[in-house]
Amino acid sequence: MIQDLKLDYLHRVFHGLCINHDIKVLFEKYGTFLDVELSMHSKTKNRGLAFVRMGSEEESVASMTNLEAHDFDGRILNLSYTHPNEKKEIREAPAAPTKFNIFVGNVSWDVTSSDLREFFSSLLDNAVSAEVIYQTTELRKPSGYGFVSFGSKEEAEAAITAFKGKVNYRGC
């Protein structure tokens, strides 16, 4: 089993100038050194933190036993096992039902979203929702148009055919 170790350099061992080779030389004495990942401030300066991967659990234990509190270049090393990131189950949000919107223009200023939906439901009764669009000013005046949503493309096309050129009692 491959074991990951976290090597934390107290007080910034190597003054942030450590390179991968320095870590490899230190750890390969205790087993199969596989990899090291340095946590970097920039491309040239590390944070004083490294993640070391050894070939087996026994080699990781040997490294920790021999290097914990080891004085290296006047700095004390602090070693600990990393906690592998557990893969969290990603649950996707249920897909929102697809809506097929139709544009309704030349809507009277006093028509509300409820009026618009009621008008389209008077013949077809399949409108999912309706919205009159308002201006974004403080007064929120109607813009004179809106959208009506249907559950399928066929329903939206049927509404266009049924209501094209129609006017309701409120001027919709």
Side-chain angles (χ1 to χ4, degrees):
M1 174 179 167
I2 295 174
Q3 214 42 59
D4 293 340
L5 296 174
K6 176 181 168 187
L7 176 59
D8 186 8
Y9 306 97
L10 298 181
H11 307 294
R12 304 278 188 244
V13 170
F14 314 115
H15 303 286
L17 299 174
C18 175
I19 58 173
N20 293 3
H21 178 65
D22 299 326
I23 302 296
K24 180 180 180 185
V25 169
L26 189 63
F27 278 83
E28 68 185 356
K29 298 174 193 171
Y30 305 103
T32 307
F33 173 87
L34 296 178
D35 188 32
V36 63
E37 182 181 328
L38 298 175
S39 179
M40 305 295 282
H41 280 294
S42 65
K43 288 185 178 184
T44 59
K45 187 173 181 185
N46 74 51
R47 297 179 187 269
L49 183 66
F51 296 92
V52 176
R53 180 168 289 194
M54 298 298 287
S56 70
E57 185 173 357
E58 294 78 24
E59 293 167 338
S60 295
V61 170
S63 299
M64 288 187 67
T65 303
N66 290 293
L67 295 174
E68 177 63 29
H70 177 77
D71 185 323
F72 190 76
D73 257 3
R75 307 289 183 182
I76 304 299
L77 301 180
N78 179 18
L79 292 143
S80 62
Y81 284 106
T82 61
H83 301 287
N85 291 336
E86 293 179 18
K87 292 184 179 180
K88 295 179 182 176
E89 183 180 325
I90 299 172
R91 295 182 356 188
E92 294 182 23
T98 303
K99 293 182 183 178
F100 295 86
N101 296 328
I102 62 171
F103 172 82
V104 182
N106 203 23
V107 175
S108 175
W109 303 114
D110 60 346
V111 170
T112 65
S113 296
S114 297
D115 295 333
L116 193 59
R117 182 160 192 229
E118 184 180 307
F119 175 69
F120 275 84
S121 295
S122 67
L123 286 179
L124 298 175
D125 197 33
N126 59 359
V128 174
S129 64
E131 276 302 314
V132 171
I133 305 302
Y134 291 86
Q135 296 174 3
T136 57
T137 63
E138 291 179 24
L139 301 175
R140 285 194 36 91
K141 294 180 185 177
S143 293
Y145 67 93
F147 295 91
V148 180
S149 300
F150 295 89
S152 72
K153 183 177 181 181
E154 293 76 21
E155 291 174 347
E157 289 173 350
I160 291 170
T161 303
F163 290 102
K164 192 167 186 107
K166 301 249 186 214
V167 176
N168 79 344
Y169 66 96
R170 296 191 66 182
C172 185

